[in-house]
Amino acid sequence: MGFWPRLRNHFVPHPTNAYRPHLLRRGWMVFFLAFVLATEGFLVASLVARQSGGSFLASIIASELISFTNEARAAQNDGQLVENKLLAAAAQKKAEDMAEGGYFAHQSPDGKQPWDFITAAGYDYQYAGENLAVRFVDSKDVVNAWMASPTHRANIVKAAYRETGIGIAQGIYKGSSATYVVQYFGARAPAGGVLGAEVSPPVKVSPSPVDTVARQALQLVSNPRSSTAWIFGGIATLLLVLLAFAFFFHLQVQATGLLLPGTVVAGIALFFLLFNASLLPAGPNQTASALFAGELTTVIDDAAASTP
């Protein structure tokens, strides 16, 4: 039997499969149910590990933060931010400084301002801004939380910014392991900026299948809430489509034992999807004060930047 007939047997009710798609049969239902339960178990285990201070799963990906930031800017018709190595170095230095000092604030205990880290890295700015985050589960949650705060959102969507840099460091915050995240925003001073700081135009390279699989695996680990939502939504949608086909095509020959398991598994997937989105905590200490140190994000203008 060729590929397309096999595919039809799995998805579409017709005489060849006795109007019973293979994907609704017992073996596949057991697989889908086991996969849904294993996925939920992975999500819960990752959250428990992070709640207890385990940092091996608490990875935030810089490229994902920039991607989500640019998605938010695109929704406001703002230009895309380009990663700048000098801003990234400054952000990394600030993140490491917070991790080593165990503080979470725009101003360090020894009086350093965000702009001190930026200028020390050699970035000559006209505009600059800083967003901070700590104790998050995944990259998407970081940007979502920033967008929910008016002052942090103002930095993300400010049209004057042209470049960004991310810093990520592991440390201890209020007695437990924490991931510190720093995002710097900047626009070069019109006088010319820093020699050698120009960013080359991006070169599009098609990733290999191995790179694609590795990236998806890394994203699954670093963004478990988003990944599991896609999994549950995909399984529920597939099963509901299959059940709709089975219902409208020769319902009179469908056995209850074929339709009921698919309905139950789809229901379980939808339940976990809604439960995780509305009830399952996003990370430790689920209050705004635990997610942000001083609620205001500092943004400097031309006058403030004229004497860095």
Side-chain angles (χ1 to χ4, degrees):
M1 182 180 295
F3 173 77
W4 291 113
R6 288 179 181 274
L7 189 65
R8 185 179 62 174
N9 281 340
H10 279 78
F11 287 90
V12 182
H14 62 97
T16 305
N17 59 17
Y19 299 101
R20 292 171 171 80
H22 292 178
L23 287 179
L24 288 178
R25 295 182 180 181
R26 178 179 300 178
W28 278 104
M29 287 302 100
V30 172
F31 169 78
F32 286 134
L33 179 60
F35 192 64
V36 166
L37 296 177
T39 300
E40 182 67 10
F42 167 78
L43 174 60
V44 172
S46 68
L47 294 178
V48 169
R50 290 166 186 178
Q51 292 268 8
S52 62
S55 61
F56 65 99
L57 285 175
S59 57
I60 305 294
I61 303 175
S63 61
E64 295 291 343
L65 288 173
I66 295 174
S67 176
F68 292 135
T69 296
N70 279 327
E71 286 180 10
R73 288 175 65 87
Q76 302 296 318
N77 295 318
D78 292 324
Q80 299 288 283
L81 297 177
V82 177
E83 184 177 17
N84 178 276
K85 292 183 179 180
L86 296 180
L87 282 179
Q92 185 61 36
K93 189 68 176 178
K94 173 63 181 287
E96 292 172 356
D97 192 65
M98 288 196 298
E100 292 171 3
Y103 73 94
F104 185 57
H106 294 293
Q107 180 175 316
S108 69
D110 60 1
K112 281 187 177 180
Q113 298 290 336
W115 335 121
D116 296 329
F117 291 94
I118 294 176
T119 55
Y123 187 87
D124 185 12
Y125 62 86
Q126 179 182 20
Y127 300 98
E130 177 186 75
N131 279 353
L132 303 177
V134 71
R135 288 179 173 169
F136 274 81
V137 172
D138 60 49
S139 304
K140 183 64 173 176
D141 282 346
V142 173
V143 178
N144 284 345
W146 281 338
M147 288 297 290
S149 167
T151 49
H152 295 82
R153 182 181 184 279
N155 264 349
I156 289 177
V157 302
K158 186 170 182 177
Y161 293 143
R162 293 291 181 266
E163 298 170 315
T164 187
I166 304 292
I168 301 168
Q170 298 292 332
I172 302 297
Y173 181 63
K174 293 186 176 180
S176 62
S177 178
T179 300
Y180 291 85
V181 181
V182 178
Q183 183 172 29
Y184 278 145
F185 304 87
R188 303 284 183 78
V194 180
L195 182 63
E198 294 296 332
V199 178
S200 300
V203 178
K204 294 184 178 180
V205 179
S206 299
S208 68
V210 174
D211 290 338
T212 300
V213 172
R215 179 178 176 82
Q216 292 300 322
L218 182 59
Q219 185 174 359
L220 175 63
V221 173
S222 64
N223 301 322
R225 287 164 60 86
S226 299
S227 302
T228 53
W230 277 102
I231 291 173
F232 293 146
I235 290 177
T237 300
L238 173 63
L239 292 178
L240 290 175
V241 169
L242 290 172
L243 289 169
F245 280 156
F247 184 85
F248 288 108
F249 288 94
H250 291 271
L251 176 62
Q252 66 273 16
V253 300
Q254 301 297 344
T256 303
L258 183 72
L259 300 180
L260 183 60
T263 303
V264 171
V265 175
I268 292 174
L270 288 174
F271 168 78
F272 283 139
L273 178 64
L274 297 175
F275 174 80
N276 295 342
S278 60
L279 298 177
L280 199 62
N285 301 331
Q286 308 305 307
T287 63
S289 60
L291 299 180
F292 297 105
E295 289 298 314
L296 296 180
T297 297
T298 305
V299 183
I300 59 176
D301 56 18
D302 290 292
S306 62
T307 55

